[in-house]
Amino acid sequence: MARGLQLLRSGGQLCYIVSDTWRTIKTHKPLRKRFLESTTIAHFIDLPSWVFDATVNTCILTVAKNTASESHDLIAADLRSLQIGDWNKLTENLDAIAAHSVDLQTIDYARYTYPQSLIATYDNLSLFIGSPKLYQLLSNSNFSRLGTIADVKVGLQTSDNDYYLRKRRGARGSYEILDDSKLLTDADIAGLSDDEKLNGVALNKYNNRCFLPFDKGGESNTDEGWLPNYYVPTQYLIDWSRDAVHRLRTATIADVKRRKKEFNKIEPQEEQRIASRFQNSEYYFQEGITFSPTGIYSPTFRLGSGCIFGNKGSTIFVRGIESRVLLGFLTSIVSRYLLKSYVSHTVETGEEVLTRLRLPSLSPDLHDRIKTLVESIINQQKHNQSYPYHLHEQKEIDAIIYQLYELDYEDIREIELWYCRRYPKLAKAQGVLAEVKEKYERHIEHCSRVLTKPPTYWKSHPILSLIAQGEGSKLEFKETLRVDIKTNTKNKDVLLASLKNITAFLNTDGGTLLIGVSDNLEIKGLEPDYTVGKGKNKDGFENNLRQIMESKITPYPLHPNKVLVMVEFFTLPEGEICQVEVKPLDLSEIAYLEGKIFIRDGNRTKELKGDTLESWKQKRNPSLN
């Protein structure tokens, strides 16, 4: 790639088809830096493996050899989860990318548009495919990097695993099954001296017992939707006898080959030491969180054995936060999204990668709640190793982490759709796929409808570009203001629905109501409302809307001293549209619709009552109580 860039003349364009690993991994940061400084990136697209019948994930990168302007937007797309052979959906997405159409995210594909300059705000210079807003969490100085509150260490590498390691019955691997009579007891391990921890145990002291737990990764069961998180005791053991530890430090290639009887003659140059790497041995026999750094479903996190850990069972040693609380953070869907979207999107999630994760601060009550939930999972797993924690406590842990990162409805939707794209088999087994399809049914249908029209249609008018974004926490469509489309007559419930949305926007974060647009994105126009209104035109429509808001909503949002609602009309070929732009009220005020309080909850509007109302008031402004 770098050589191709050298051959390119100034202003020239080049398209690469390469493996996708270069986008985030640390070793390719210099390459990313060069692209960001020397080129204008048009787009990069992760494609499904079936397009080129490749054994690796394939990425297309298109650049021009000139420095990008501050205002330049690139397009990043994830098309890896498109169904095998779905060339139509692939073509529709590629056409949309070529035309710089609106961004869409579903369980099958995702497209994002963001400034190229945003990439440099995070020091890894990740060419990321994900939410531009969430990318900024990695450079948020209000959050602590994991590396500042924990040490993340790689452990012992034996270089001759078969000699030293054993496994429990049923565990994967070709190791011999351990005779339990050779296993040191918990009491034995707790009583080991510093010398024994460093140099191994004497067999005669422990009645020939010399094996102890060895953390070297965890095995998932994706058919049942289970990942090896929380309490999953290692199934592997290591020989910690004095002879074995001595051999770990002194063995040669010749020793190994003699044992395996692979050669009858040992060449002199083979008599070189291949002693195992005792990496970070000062952390052996300490409590920590071990994790699996490699694999499709990595990283997974669980309590360490407190004995020896390996180079594929690296361990986190915590400072300033309880291990069980950090364990809850790490196993959350938010942590997985941040790590795999922005820090290292490949199958590798090593020690340096983990140190880059940023964590928000915890209030004492949420700290205790996460700890309680994690301990509940651990207690359940002690009785049933296959306990489906993802159906129970994990849901509440994820909800708390959403809250701590201050994620809104669109952020959460982004993460949950990504999870189903990235891990379709796992999401299906866990029941997450079905939940997400139901939860975001309207959004997914909306994205499908957008693809049915050419990209040029949605770009032809700002209102159409807004409609193409779809309903969300700050956008709502209404086909009419007060006409029941089934009977073509005025209906107070239809009118009330629009007023509820306006009131909810006032009480939440503001938003836009588009009247004259159906849920299926059709421009219906305002003629039905004109027909039943005074004046039978947009002036009569607007006057009527203003009068209704004055009589129904308190405080009046169009008061001359404080205008919070702007009404504007747009004419499209299909008909006229009314845009009601709503600003949020100050936190010291509340908007009422005929004495009732409504807020925006995701892409829906809901009324607050009872304890829920009081809790909302307290959170909004304690002086309101």
Side-chain angles (χ1 to χ4, degrees):
M1 290 171 68
R3 186 170 182 81
L5 191 58
Q6 283 182 326
L7 297 174
L8 198 64
R9 68 181 182 181
S10 179
Q13 296 187 24
L14 192 61
C15 182
Y16 297 88
I17 302 175
V18 294
S19 168
D20 71 344
T21 55
W22 66 278
R23 291 198 295 102
T24 61
I25 61 175
K26 181 181 179 181
T27 54
H28 283 68
K29 181 179 175 180
L31 177 63
R32 296 194 295 274
K33 186 173 187 289
R34 184 168 183 182
F35 273 113
L36 292 174
E37 292 176 345
S38 307
T39 73
T40 297
I41 300 173
H43 54 248
F44 48 93
I45 309 164
D46 282 359
L47 292 174
S49 60
W50 52 263
V51 171
F52 296 108
D53 195 21
T55 56
V56 298
N57 293 324
T58 309
C59 177
I60 293 179
L61 170 69
T62 303
V63 301
K65 192 174 181 180
N66 48 48
T67 304
S69 67
E70 279 294 315
S71 60
H72 170 68
D73 288 341
L74 58 79
I75 299 175
D78 174 14
L79 308 182
R80 289 185 301 176
S81 292
L82 291 177
Q83 296 298 310
I84 295 176
D86 193 348
W87 293 98
N88 288 335
K89 191 63 66 65
L90 176 64
T91 301
E92 289 172 343
N93 273 277
L94 294 177
D95 286 345
I97 292 166
H100 289 248
S101 190
V102 295
D103 293 345
L104 300 174
Q105 295 88 40
T106 75
I107 57 176
D108 298 317
Y109 57 87
R111 304 195 303 269
Y112 306 87
T113 303
Y114 59 84
Q116 182 171 323
S117 58
L118 178 62
I119 291 172
T121 61
Y122 169 44
D123 59 13
N124 192 51
L125 306 180
S126 299
L127 267 71
F128 65 93
I129 301 178
S131 162
K133 175 186 172 185
L134 296 181
Y135 180 70
Q136 297 176 78
L137 294 177
L138 273 299
S139 54
N140 189 326
S141 59
N142 293 323
F143 299 154
S144 301
R145 270 198 176 184
L146 180 63
T148 66
I149 62 171
D151 298 319
V152 185
K153 299 298 182 180
V154 64
L156 174 66
Q157 184 174 344
T158 71
S159 301
D160 189 12
N161 283 349
D162 289 339
Y163 185 89
Y164 303 102
L165 301 188
R166 300 292 183 270
K167 69 175 184 177
R168 295 186 185 278
R169 190 175 302 278
R172 295 179 185 176
S174 58
Y175 308 121
E176 293 179 30
I177 297 172
L178 180 69
D179 178 350
D180 285 351
S181 66
K182 295 183 178 181
L183 179 64
L184 289 165
T185 67
D186 291 342
D188 292 337
I189 295 171
L192 292 179
S193 67
D194 290 342
D195 177 69
E196 289 172 322
K197 290 177 181 178
L198 180 66
N199 299 310
V201 300
L203 292 177
N204 58 1
K205 179 178 178 180
Y206 294 97
N207 296 321
N208 290 321
R209 297 194 302 273
C210 60
F211 282 85
L212 49 76
F214 182 72
D215 292 309
K216 66 175 301 292
E219 302 167 6
S220 61
N221 185 344
T222 51
D223 289 337
E224 295 183 7
W226 183 87
L227 294 180
N229 288 318
Y230 297 108
Y231 179 77
V232 187
T234 180
Q235 299 297 296
Y236 302 95
L237 301 307
I238 186 169
D239 186 344
W240 205 248
S241 64
R242 285 193 175 272
D243 287 345
V245 174
H246 176 73
R247 186 179 188 277
L248 280 167
R249 292 196 173 101
T250 61
T252 66
I253 291 175
D255 293 329
V256 175
K257 289 186 175 180
R258 285 191 195 97
R259 184 176 69 83
K260 293 184 176 180
K261 298 180 180 179
E262 292 178 353
F263 296 90
N264 295 321
K265 181 179 179 182
I266 305 299
E267 299 295 334
Q269 65 267 26
E270 292 180 315
E271 291 287 353
Q272 55 182 295
R273 180 174 173 272
I274 60 159
S276 304
R277 296 179 64 188
F278 278 73
Q279 301 164 109
N280 301 300
S281 58
E282 68 273 22
Y283 288 90
Y284 298 172
F285 296 98
Q286 290 189 33
E287 181 183 276
I289 299 171
T290 187
F291 68 96
S292 301
T294 304
I296 295 174
Y297 300 107
S298 72
T300 52
F301 303 91
R302 55 210 155 269
L303 295 178
S305 66
C307 293
I308 310 297
F309 58 97
N311 66 317
K312 288 299 181 181
S314 302
T315 302
I316 305 165
F317 300 93
V318 187
R319 307 185 305 271
I321 185 174
E322 292 194 48
S323 292
R324 280 164 167 73
V325 176
L326 181 59
L327 188 56
F329 262 111
L330 295 174
T331 53
S332 72
I333 188 174
V334 178
S335 294
R336 181 171 289 270
Y337 174 87
L338 294 176
L339 287 169
K340 305 310 289 187
S341 294
Y342 304 131
V343 190
S344 180
H345 74 286
T346 69
V347 296
E348 290 289 336
T349 313
E351 296 73 31
E352 197 274 339
V353 169
L354 277 185
T355 64
R356 291 178 165 271
L357 183 65
R358 284 192 179 267
L359 308 174
S361 58
L362 271 168
S363 63
D365 58 328
L366 290 180
H367 173 282
D368 293 344
R369 185 57 188 156
I370 292 175
K371 181 181 177 181
T372 297
L373 290 166
V374 171
E375 288 178 340
S376 174
I377 293 173
I378 291 170
N379 289 334
Q380 292 282 358
Q381 288 179 318
K382 287 180 178 179
H383 298 291
N384 173 17
Q385 189 61 76
S386 299
Y387 172 66
Y389 59 86
H390 54 273
L391 298 176
H392 304 291
E393 292 93 344
Q394 188 66 56
K395 291 180 180 293
E396 187 174 346
I397 291 173
D398 287 338
I400 292 173
I401 306 302
Y402 288 152
Q403 177 185 343
L404 289 170
Y405 282 100
E406 298 182 346
L407 305 187
D408 60 24
Y409 170 80
E410 280 79 14
D411 299 330
I412 296 170
R413 183 183 68 195
E414 154 73 12
I415 291 170
E416 293 178 351
L417 290 172
W418 166 86
Y419 187 82
C420 293
R421 279 199 311 276
R422 174 92 187 198
Y423 308 109
K425 181 179 178 181
L426 179 65
K428 182 178 181 180
Q430 291 179 333
V432 173
L433 183 60
E435 287 182 7
V436 166
K437 283 183 175 180
E438 181 179 0
K439 184 176 181 180
Y440 303 115
E441 180 181 11
R442 290 175 64 182
H443 171 79
I444 294 170
E445 289 178 352
H446 162 86
C447 293
S448 296
R449 292 191 188 104
V450 170
L451 281 180
T452 62
K453 291 184 180 292
T456 51
Y457 173 79
W458 302 111
K459 293 180 62 180
S460 63
H461 194 284
I463 283 293
L464 291 174
S465 296
L466 182 61
I467 292 171
Q469 293 177 18
E471 291 182 321
S473 59
K474 294 186 178 181
L475 182 60
E476 179 75 22
F477 304 151
K478 291 298 178 188
E479 190 163 333
T480 67
L481 175 63
R482 57 180 182 174
V483 175
D484 186 331
I485 58 175
K486 294 180 180 179
T487 63
N488 203 32
T489 59
K490 288 192 290 187
N491 185 316
K492 64 179 182 180
D493 290 334
V494 175
L495 173 61
L496 193 61
S498 290
L499 296 178
K500 287 178 181 179
N501 284 307
I502 294 171
T503 308
F505 287 144
L506 288 166
N507 284 329
T508 316
D509 298 313
T512 302
L513 173 65
L514 294 180
I515 305 172
V517 181
S518 69
D519 287 341
N520 62 5
L521 311 187
E522 291 185 39
I523 308 300
K524 296 294 187 177
L526 301 174
E527 281 302 320
D529 282 304
Y530 289 169
T531 301
V532 300
K534 295 179 181 179
K536 301 187 183 301
N537 56 30
K538 71 178 182 181
D539 290 336
F541 179 97
E542 182 175 356
N543 288 334
N544 183 246
L545 177 58
R546 289 174 177 273
Q547 291 169 6
I548 293 170
M549 284 192 284
E550 184 174 17
S551 65
K552 302 286 187 182
I553 300 176
T554 307
Y556 177 45
L558 290 115
H559 194 281
N561 295 332
K562 192 174 185 180
V563 178
L564 296 172
V565 173
M566 284 68 69
V567 180
E568 193 172 359
F569 294 84
F570 297 92
T571 301
L572 300 172
E574 299 93 335
E576 207 160 19
I577 298 296
C578 176
Q579 176 179 284
V580 183
E581 193 74 23
V582 183
K583 296 180 180 179
L585 274 171
D586 294 337
L587 295 180
S588 60
E589 297 181 279
I590 297 176
Y592 294 84
L593 174 61
E594 297 183 322
K596 298 178 180 179
I597 296 177
F598 296 88
I599 65 164
R600 199 70 173 162
D601 182 21
N603 65 342
R604 291 176 171 81
T605 290
K606 71 177 184 180
E607 181 183 357
L608 295 180
K609 299 178 182 179
D611 292 342
T612 304
L613 172 58
E614 294 308 313
S615 176
W616 176 79
K617 284 182 178 180
Q618 180 67 26
K619 184 177 180 181
R620 181 177 178 84
N621 190 333
S623 66
L624 293 172
N625 291 312

